Amino acid sequence: MASTRRTFLKTAAGAIALAGVGGQAEAAEGGSKSARPEQNAKGLTICNIRGKNGSVSLGVKTSKGVLDVAAAAKGRKGLPATTDDVIRGTGVAALRELVAEAESGKKTALIQEADVRFGPAVTRPEKILMMGLNYRKHIAEVKAPTPTSPTFFNKFNNSLLGHGGTVPLPTKVAKKFDYETELVVVIGKRAQDVSSADALSHVFGYATGNDFSARDLQNKTTQWMLGKTCDGFGVVGPWIVSADLVGDPQNLKIQCWVNGEQVQSSNTSDMIYSCADLVSYASQHMTLEPGDIIYTGTPEGVINGKPPEHQNWLKTGDKVVSEIEKTGKLAFDLGVRNAGSAGSGS
């Protein structure tokens, strides 16, 4: 028998009520299981392992070596595929089980760190924010006025390059290449209009970075972007270290070497705007999402800060090593850009 309009409305109302109860229950628990990111990614040091075909897969630093998660999984479901998944809370519980097995000696998919081919520490950030002029001594060496608010610019994903990679120098359009060792903040929780006091609770972890720059392109106009966004100019890695393992990000030694000669040595305590300040300030203007990264500025010692007669710009064949206390050494060399070369693939 066909339903009457009254019967239909009664049935529909009941269905809506049940859906509402279910939705309230999910909301009380923080959302459905499939939509709710797994938390508690503390105590992790993670990386992306680069495959021969240019793909990347997740690695975890353990006391036994670097765990190749894809190789160790052996058909297990629900494991994160890359660092981006871990940052977003995907499969963290399953990952912990796998790491525990590796630590106990039950897993053999371990690689010695020296044998790992590293990809960029993150591969698909929605936003790459860069902070300029954030160290007091660096501002003094370049004779710039102290900024009255954070000076942000940007890079794009084409610039991402991992530890052990080669920056393909665009020598047809630039000559003045420079290093900039920087602490990188990795966002782990959506941040929208957060206070400085609450900002670090939105941080997943930290990484070593190098804001590689072409100064002649950077200073060609009033906009810095062109000198900052070439392929491979956003070097980051090898690790992302969870925030709990790093502790206070404003008390970390920061160093850089070129061809074995130390060129930068400072401490993050010299920042004008702290990591918390930068996250808070950025979140007041845009919503920061998990996986977004913020380069927090470079200390003194860059080539651009030297007198013209002492500016020996970087060139093909040079080797650069950046190190930040607790987040590791990031090494890369310099090559020549050619057709088909790209920062993240080399």
Side-chain angles (χ1 to χ4, degrees), residues 79-329:
L79 284 163
T82 66
T83 59
D84 302 82
D85 292 336
V86 180
I87 293 165
R88 290 166 173 80
T90 301
V92 173
L95 178 64
R96 287 194 176 282
E97 292 180 7
L98 203 65
V99 171
E101 291 176 7
E103 292 283 10
S104 68
K106 294 181 181 179
K107 288 291 176 184
T108 58
L110 293 166
I111 310 171
Q112 292 305 304
E113 185 175 334
D115 297 326
V116 176
R117 299 173 75 246
F118 288 91
V122 293
T123 62
R124 54 179 195 271
E126 182 182 273
K127 291 177 283 296
I128 302 175
L129 294 179
M130 316 296 298
M131 175 62 190
L133 300 172
N134 196 31
Y135 280 74
R136 296 172 180 86
K137 292 178 183 177
H138 173 53
I139 290 172
E141 74 175 349
V142 297
K143 299 177 175 59
T146 300
T148 56
S149 63
T151 304
F152 280 130
F153 56 97
N154 65 296
K155 290 185 190 274
F156 304 108
N157 286 0
N158 69 293
S159 67
L160 293 172
L161 181 73
H163 171 68
T166 299
V167 175
L169 299 179
T171 53
K172 291 183 179 180
V173 294
K175 303 296 180 186
K176 297 181 178 181
F177 301 109
D178 204 353
Y179 50 81
E180 293 189 44
T181 299
E182 306 198 8
L183 176 65
V184 177
V185 174
V186 181
I187 300 299
K189 185 172 67 173
R190 175 177 288 186
Q192 187 178 65
D193 200 23
V194 301
S195 67
S196 291
D198 186 49
L200 295 187
S201 69
H202 295 260
V203 172
F204 174 88
Y206 303 90
T208 302
N210 197 294
D211 170 21
F212 199 82
S213 304
R215 299 299 190 185
D216 38 0
L217 293 180
Q218 176 184 343
N219 297 320
K220 193 172 184 178
T221 69
T222 57
Q223 301 298 317
W224 292 0
M225 187 193 76
L226 199 59
K228 300 287 191 173
T229 57
C230 299
D231 293 341
F233 276 26
V235 200
V236 59
W239 312 105
I240 299 174
V241 183
S242 59
D244 60 298
L245 295 179
V246 173
D248 182 6
Q250 302 311 138
N251 187 26
L252 301 173
K253 191 170 184 179
I254 179 169
Q255 303 176 89
C256 183
W257 296 262
V258 174
N259 300 326
E261 178 185 356
Q262 188 168 49
V263 292
Q264 288 185 291
S265 181
S266 186
N267 192 286
T268 56
S269 61
D270 193 44
M271 286 185 191
I272 297 171
Y273 298 100
S274 69
C275 294
D277 292 336
L278 296 179
V279 172
S280 174
Y281 186 79
S283 78
Q284 293 169 34
H285 299 81
M286 65 196 81
T287 300
L288 299 176
E289 299 287 355
D292 287 347
I293 57 177
I294 303 175
Y295 285 68
T296 56
T298 197
E300 76 277 11
V302 298
I303 301 171
N304 196 47
K306 301 179 186 300
E309 62 272 20
H310 296 298
Q311 289 179 337
N312 297 315
W313 302 104
L314 298 175
K315 61 188 183 303
T316 301
D318 284 345
K319 299 183 183 301
V320 181
V321 177
S322 295
E323 182 178 17
I324 296 177
E325 184 181 358
K326 298 185 180 180
T327 64
K329 285 187 177 181

